[in-house]
Amino acid sequence: MEEEKGKHEDKMEAPGTFVLSIIFLAAFIVIWFAHFKWLIEIWGVR
Amino acid sequence: MDYRICSFTGLKIHKTAEDLIKWNVVTAILFLALGGFMALLVALTRWPSVHYLGPANYYRFLTLHGFDALLLWILFFEVALVHFTSAVLLNTRVVAPFSAWIAYALMLVGAVFVNIVTFAGKADVLFTSYVPLKANGVYYLGVIIFAVGALTAFGNFFANIIQARRDKAYKHTLPLGTYGLAAASIIGVVTLAHGAVIMIPVFFWSIDLIKYIDPATYRLIFWGLGHSSQQINVCAMVAMWYMAAAFVLGAKPVNEKLSRTAFVLYILFINVASEHHLLVDPVLSNWHKIVNTGYMMHLAVLASMIHAFAIPASMEVALRNKGYTKGLFDWLKNAPWGNPAFSATFLSIIGFGFLGGITGVIFGTEQFNIIRHNTFAITGHFHGTVVSGTTTAFMGGTYLLIPYIFRRELVLPKLATIQPYLYAIGVAMFAISMMAAGSYGVPRRHWDITFSNAIFSFSFDPSIDIFLSMMGVGALLAVLGGVIFIIVSLGSIVFGKKTS
């Protein structure tokens, strides 16, 4: 029981950086797919 | 032994190490000024409504811009870091001062040779100097002499570390800053070995002692030098990030073993990944390209991702320990944004990650590379890594070294405060604009994108004019930021109030 309680109190040390990393990942995915769009629509690669 | 204790850091500083750092930093800044001036001329030429230089001068100054800004500014600064992280950070001494000064002299002589012969119009071969383009033999000799000097400097680094071990200056393992420079130095030795393998025969070819150099072999081995030298920069930049976080905020790595592992990933994989320069080269097989850029490159990228999150996390932990614990971003709001050493470091991390990193992974993918290769987008990408990342980080490093090593206060502190922002915004603006223009097929390096005397006429989408104009405005902002950096740093070194 005590062990379980300890687990709940185990907080993330750098939650702000975690959120920043999610933003980075989202930007990565958006830019990556934007390139797919270029590949298909602008250069006509299929 | 002639030592002093730094009043800011408590580090024991050997007089010779201090002198070597000073000379290397000042030389680096002077070459940044020269390379930056060339950048202004080149950018004004790529801005269609200005188109400043004629074709001969354009290619000449582009060659010089690459050499001075990409190689000389960065490598002289890295050698300063070599001495700082080995002799100073480990509280030891420069073991072989004569050899260290010889290294500096060789680098300077090589640098001067290349600059003079290029200014004289005898080496308009651009940074890559692809065979069969032939420069005057002095150009290649200058590159070789410079490389021997840099190799000697890296040798000094290892000698200092061995001495520190003998002196029991560190207990178990190297501090992370020194560890990062050790990774940089190992990659440096591999890089310069590639340089020797290719530049020595090309030198003999340039003076007609060798009749033929195979262009494909040259390209392959050149990038073992040309790209790997950028990996020295990446390691040194990341080491600078860790050191700036530690010195400014007292931050400690959140997981030191992980950070060290990431440096090892650089050593193992980043050199192999340099083959992404040859993704459209018909000489290499697809198997070769896929293994190198589909797998090896991503292991090196993994290392950058680890560092890029480990360092902000260490900053966050340090700031939370200072009491900024409200919400998710209280620590970020209360970070020392007015301290140029900190702001330059943080902007470097963001610029390197968002501008250089993401685009690097995308352009390094074989299928995407086929539509971006040799376009202006690639130029935008590597300005995101080398300028937005490395140069901005080293500017932050200079703001730290001025009080620690030169023992001077910053002159014009308000200008110093805004400088990293001005520079980072300018660089981001021109790098993004270059990538946008490159997406429409605008070629890199080319003097005349209207192809005025070509047999077949071709015109780009008119929107490229907007992007290229934005690039010009961004370049002007970045140059202004660069000029302020040079005024503040050199002004502080010469006229700054003594700190102790």
Side-chain angles (χ1 to χ4, degrees):
Chain A
M1 190 68 184
E2 265 182 23
E3 199 178 297
E4 204 170 299
K5 196 182 167 191
K7 271 184 191 171
H8 285 298
E9 284 170 358
D10 187 19
K11 282 185 182 172
M12 199 183 282
E13 269 186 296
T17 305
F18 178 73
V19 173
L20 289 178
S21 70
I22 300 295
I23 294 169
F24 179 83
L25 191 64
F28 203 139
I29 292 167
V30 167
I31 297 170
W32 182 276
F33 279 98
H35 278 77
F36 270 125
K37 185 179 157 64
W38 278 103
L39 200 67
I40 294 163
E41 291 182 8
I42 310 294
W43 288 75
V45 179
R46 285 181 195 280
Chain B
M1 281 296 164
D2 193 4
Y3 289 103
R4 71 172 176 89
I5 302 295
C6 175
S7 54
F8 295 97
T9 59
L11 291 166
K12 193 171 80 172
I13 300 177
H14 184 211
K15 177 79 172 63
T16 310
E18 184 176 280
D19 290 343
L20 281 162
I21 295 167
K22 282 179 180 174
W23 278 90
N24 277 290
V25 167
V26 170
T27 311
I29 295 171
L30 291 175
F31 278 117
L32 176 68
L34 196 56
F37 179 62
M38 301 301 158
L40 175 67
L41 299 179
V42 169
L44 288 177
T45 309
R46 293 307 304 261
W47 190 346
S49 48
V50 181
H51 207 51
Y52 180 62
L53 295 172
N57 277 337
Y58 169 74
Y59 291 112
R60 191 162 302 156
F61 292 147
L62 185 55
T63 307
L64 276 170
H65 166 59
F67 200 79
D68 289 343
L70 185 60
L71 212 63
L72 302 185
W73 139 249
I74 287 176
L75 263 165
F76 274 107
F77 196 88
E78 278 164 4
V79 172
L81 289 182
V82 154
H83 296 300
F84 183 79
T85 55
S86 61
V88 177
L89 220 50
L90 295 179
N91 286 312
T92 186
R93 64 189 169 90
V94 176
V95 181
F98 182 71
S99 152
W101 284 113
I102 288 289
Y104 171 78
L106 286 172
M107 286 172 69
L108 190 61
V109 168
V112 170
F113 272 22
V114 171
N115 269 274
I116 288 175
V117 77
T118 312
F119 262 120
K122 305 282 184 193
D124 299 337
V125 289
L126 301 184
F127 182 70
T128 45
S129 56
Y130 273 164
V131 169
L133 280 177
K134 192 187 275 187
N136 187 290
V138 176
Y139 175 86
Y140 304 108
L141 188 64
V143 174
I144 293 165
I145 293 172
F146 178 82
V148 171
L151 194 58
T152 312
F154 290 131
N156 276 283
F157 174 82
F158 294 116
N160 291 349
I161 287 182
I162 292 166
Q163 184 62 41
R165 185 86 183 167
R166 280 182 190 157
D167 293 347
K168 296 187 170 56
Y170 65 94
K171 283 180 186 167
H172 304 294
T173 183
L174 296 169
L176 209 50
T178 313
Y179 196 86
L181 258 293
S185 302
I186 292 168
I187 297 173
V189 172
V190 176
T191 302
L192 295 165
H194 281 90
V197 166
I198 200 62
M199 281 300 167
I200 293 171
V202 172
F203 167 65
F204 288 124
W205 169 72
S206 72
I207 55 173
D208 291 332
L209 286 178
I210 291 178
K211 292 295 168 204
Y212 178 72
I213 299 282
D214 177 45
T217 309
Y218 176 88
R219 287 197 297 273
L220 182 65
I221 303 177
F222 173 81
W223 283 115
L225 163 74
H227 193 83
S228 304
S229 63
Q230 304 318 306
Q231 311 317 328
I232 310 173
N233 304 346
V234 170
C235 279
M237 172 190 73
V238 171
M240 194 65 244
W241 290 348
Y242 280 110
M243 287 190 284
F247 284 128
V248 177
L249 299 172
K252 289 177 183 165
V254 281
N255 186 334
E256 201 161 329
K257 275 186 185 167
L258 184 68
S259 298
R260 288 176 197 277
T261 308
F263 277 119
V264 175
L265 283 176
Y266 277 150
I267 297 171
L268 293 178
F269 297 108
I270 214 160
N271 280 0
V272 190
S274 65
E275 200 170 292
H276 62 243
H277 288 269
L278 303 168
L279 275 178
V280 299
D281 200 314
V283 176
L284 301 171
S285 72
N286 267 344
W287 181 90
H288 212 249
K289 291 170 186 172
I290 290 166
V291 168
N292 278 280
T293 60
Y295 298 95
M296 303 297 185
M297 186 183 79
H298 292 99
L299 288 165
V301 169
L302 176 67
S304 290
M305 299 275 265
I306 291 170
H307 292 306
F309 297 122
I311 296 164
S314 72
M315 290 174 174
E316 181 176 352
V317 171
L319 285 161
R320 282 181 183 276
N321 287 340
K322 288 180 197 289
Y324 303 116
T325 52
K326 207 173 139 191
L328 277 177
F329 297 115
D330 192 37
W331 62 279
L332 203 55
K333 205 171 79 183
N334 290 290
W337 296 108
N339 180 342
F342 174 82
S343 59
T345 303
F346 209 92
L347 290 167
S348 162
I349 295 171
I350 293 173
F352 183 81
F354 281 86
L355 295 179
I358 293 177
T359 56
V361 176
I362 292 169
F363 299 157
T365 306
E366 197 177 0
Q367 292 84 345
F368 288 132
N369 192 274
I370 200 78
I371 60 166
R372 290 291 181 272
H373 195 88
N374 256 350
T375 69
F376 218 18
I378 303 299
T379 320
H381 150 69
F382 69 70
H383 279 80
T385 56
V386 179
V387 187
S388 197
T390 310
T391 296
T392 313
F394 287 180
M395 284 174 168
T398 309
Y399 289 127
L400 283 177
L401 291 177
I402 287 171
Y404 296 172
I405 297 295
F406 292 89
R407 286 184 275 173
R408 302 277 179 168
E409 284 179 15
L410 288 183
V411 295
L412 307 168
K414 281 187 181 168
L415 267 184
T417 302
I418 61 160
Q419 185 274 326
Y421 299 100
L422 198 59
Y423 190 73
I425 291 168
V427 174
M429 197 170 156
F430 83 70
I432 292 168
S433 306
M434 279 173 175
M435 286 188 257
S439 298
Y440 285 90
V442 172
R444 68 189 283 191
R445 296 176 177 150
H446 212 291
W447 175 73
D448 176 23
I449 59 166
T450 62
F451 307 111
S452 46
N453 293 320
I455 300 166
F456 302 106
S457 64
F458 178 80
S459 56
F460 289 105
D461 188 300
S463 55
I464 64 149
D465 287 336
I466 299 170
F467 297 132
L468 291 174
S469 302
M470 281 170 64
M471 177 214 70
V473 175
L476 289 180
L477 270 179
V479 166
L480 182 61
V483 168
I484 294 173
F485 169 74
I486 287 155
I487 291 171
V488 170
S489 57
L490 290 182
S492 304
I493 288 165
V494 178
F495 303 111
K497 195 177 155 193
K498 288 194 175 174
T499 56
S500 57

